[in-house]
Amino acid sequence: MTSSIEKELQALHRQSNLRSLPALTHDGRDVITGGRRMLNLSSNDYLGLACDRSLRETFLHTLTPDNFLPTSSSSRLLTGNYAVYGELEECLARMLDVEAVLLLNSGYHANTGILPAVSDAQTLILADKLVHASMIDGIRLSTARCIRYRHNDMTQLERLLNEHHNQYRQIIIVTESIFSMDGDEADLSTLVRLKHDYDNVLLYVDEAHAFGVRGARGLGCAEEKGCIRDIDFLVGTFGKAAASVGAYVASSRMLKEYLINRMRTLIFTTALPPINIAWTHFIVQRLPDMSGKRKHLANIGRMLRQALADAGYVCPGNSHIIPMVVGASNRTLQQAEVLQQQGFYVSAVRPPTVPEGTSRIRFSLTAAVTEEEIQRLTAKLEAP
Ligand SMILES: *Cc1c(COP(=O)(O)O)cnc(C)c1O
């Protein structure tokens, strides 16, 4: 008798949706797998800092056995609160010009911890239909009621706010700034305007894909739009452009204090190793000077989008995350294979990460990719 788990795995396999952990070796900008060397176009190393050996060398020179601390041995609320956490928090708060910054172990910890901490049954969460799984899980863990609005539909959001603001103690609008799978952007200016129309509406923005990449000093889309202080919970992560690990939330001093007292994914977990915090600090201090990398990334993003549009793909947005929507999972896997044969490591994104029938190749560009490589990639694009 086949167990239900086995049946489910077989069904995933039949639908070309079975996942496995790829075995691969990294070599600078390249990955090597199955004997093939390919340019990594699936990485979140948006500024190319993770593959920059000299940066690591410089950092290594600052280390001694006394400050190379590979564990904090405890939650920050007990004995894990090394000075480096506070130093990075102050550095970020100064850069962002906000009252307070709280470090968290990851974007996943941030998004699954903040919403349950600040919500109750008198809270309504209005979340964009396409928010990242970590925010969905945060919403599920909370006691709030939740309504998902159509992706980036500000008219529907305005209607929902108008309809419900009297019935709840508070409403929290939840969005990403650059969306993970479609690479398009939220309309932060309109979100801020809508929030300010009511005195019980809070705004929660996840800048995982924008921190380091957007804004004059790399602080994200909120910096670019000049609305950092209009956002009640501004979340950024270090695992992508900042080539590290961890996350932060910028907020008021009072909200930070509240989170320290109520946020389970902060309280009940060992804080990140001080060595990781020191590396993040090292990178964050250098972000303002990396506008050359940000410009280059924007430029190759425009090139690839244009080429995809010319080949007949619909390609909204203008970020460095560029979806090529093929449709069926099996055809998407074939297209990924063709590109891999040409030396480009791309992966097929399939359900349940994206809706049925919208399987896609997701190009995730980094500043380490050259214009020539984009030209070579786009020279052989197949029409949809
Ligand atoms: C990657 C990502 C996260 C998770 O961040 P981690 O630090 O990797 O846990 C959260 N939100 C969004 C939008 C992401 O893309």
Side-chain angles (χ1 to χ4, degrees):
M1 202 180 86
T2 355
S3 72
S4 62
I5 289 177
E6 204 173 344
K7 278 190 188 141
E8 211 173 310
L9 286 171
Q10 287 163 353
L12 285 173
H13 185 66
R14 271 197 310 278
Q15 296 150 8
S16 301
N17 287 335
L18 186 70
R19 298 158 182 235
S20 62
L21 302 173
L24 39 87
T25 315
H26 292 265
D27 181 17
R29 310 176 315 146
D30 295 343
V31 291
I32 301 159
T33 175
R36 252 190 231 149
R37 171 183 283 273
M38 292 168 280
L39 178 66
N40 190 353
L41 294 182
S42 298
S43 167
N44 296 327
D45 179 24
Y46 300 138
L47 292 178
L49 304 182
C51 61
D52 182 341
R53 193 171 183 280
S54 69
L55 214 50
R56 295 201 294 278
E57 244 164 30
T58 310
F59 179 69
L60 269 179
H61 288 308
T62 69
L63 297 183
T64 67
D66 291 318
N67 66 15
F68 175 76
L69 298 172
T71 180
S72 66
S73 305
S74 162
S75 161
R76 281 180 75 192
L77 280 93
L78 297 173
T79 63
N81 194 27
Y82 287 79
V84 283
Y85 299 93
E87 285 160 17
L88 177 54
E89 285 175 341
E90 270 170 36
C91 165
L92 275 164
R94 257 195 322 274
M95 287 171 76
L96 290 159
D97 190 23
V98 293
E99 278 187 18
V101 165
L102 179 63
L103 294 183
L104 301 161
N105 283 10
S106 72
Y108 193 83
H109 285 78
N111 289 335
T112 54
I114 297 170
L115 288 168
V118 300
S119 301
D120 57 16
Q122 281 307 300
T123 301
L124 173 66
I125 292 174
L126 298 176
D128 189 287
K129 187 80 185 140
L130 293 190
V131 292
H132 189 261
S134 54
M135 280 171 272
I136 301 298
D137 290 358
I139 292 166
R140 282 192 186 146
L141 287 168
S142 79
T143 50
R145 181 173 169 226
C146 176
I147 302 174
R148 312 272 297 271
Y149 57 91
R150 281 185 298 275
H151 179 50
N152 275 340
D153 188 337
M154 295 295 103
T155 311
Q156 187 191 10
L157 177 61
E158 183 160 19
R159 188 154 22 82
L160 289 168
L161 286 169
N162 190 27
E163 204 174 304
H164 293 288
H165 75 278
N166 275 331
Q167 301 156 12
Y168 291 88
R169 179 176 70 78
Q170 61 176 357
I171 296 182
I172 308 176
I173 304 171
V174 175
T175 186
E176 287 171 43
S177 61
I178 295 177
F179 284 86
S180 306
M181 286 304 140
D182 290 47
D184 57 349
E185 270 170 63
D187 180 353
L188 289 186
S189 309
T190 300
L191 286 165
V192 164
R193 180 177 62 74
L194 289 177
K195 170 212 137 73
H196 286 309
D197 280 349
Y198 305 92
D199 56 15
N200 64 340
V201 176
L202 301 173
L203 181 55
Y204 186 117
V205 178
D206 179 341
E207 295 245 52
H209 300 286
F211 181 70
V213 171
R214 301 293 284 268
R217 290 182 304 147
L219 300 176
C221 293
E223 182 198 10
E224 199 174 280
K225 299 278 156 45
C227 63
I228 290 176
R229 291 162 67 105
D230 295 302
I231 297 168
D232 302 278
F233 304 94
L234 181 60
V235 172
T237 69
F238 303 128
K240 292 172 176 139
S244 185
V245 62
Y248 66 87
V249 55
S251 69
S252 68
R253 220 169 272 120
M254 191 173 70
L255 277 175
K256 174 175 175 175
E257 189 179 357
Y258 189 76
L259 290 174
I260 290 171
N261 282 275
R262 286 282 181 264
M263 192 174 163
R264 297 171 68 85
T265 61
L266 169 77
I267 300 171
F268 298 108
T269 189
T270 302
L272 286 183
I275 179 67
N276 291 98
I277 304 296
W279 166 253
T280 304
H281 198 165
F282 173 88
I283 296 288
V284 164
Q285 283 171 321
R286 284 164 174 73
L287 288 179
D289 297 328
M290 296 184 181
S291 45
K293 291 184 192 293
R294 286 188 279 275
K295 263 196 202 119
H296 174 68
L297 184 59
N299 178 42
I300 57 175
R302 271 189 300 272
M303 282 177 67
L304 179 52
R305 274 180 197 282
Q306 188 57 53
L308 284 171
D310 292 347
Y313 290 91
V314 183
C315 224
N318 64 351
S319 76
H320 55 293
I321 297 168
I322 303 168
M324 177 172 118
V325 178
V326 177
S329 290
N330 56 354
R331 276 202 59 222
T332 310
L333 285 172
Q334 285 161 11
Q335 292 252 27
E337 174 58 26
V338 169
L339 286 164
Q340 290 192 13
Q341 280 168 7
Q342 293 165 7
F344 299 105
Y345 187 67
V346 293
S347 37
V349 183
R350 293 163 285 165
T353 308
V354 294
E356 279 305 329
T358 70
S359 286
R360 63 198 65 185
I361 308 281
R362 176 177 175 274
F363 296 104
S364 182
L365 298 182
T366 81
V369 174
T370 66
E371 287 189 16
E372 292 70 42
E373 283 158 342
I374 297 290
Q375 280 158 0
R376 194 151 54 76
L377 169 73
T378 54
K380 303 200 182 136
L381 274 182
E382 283 179 32

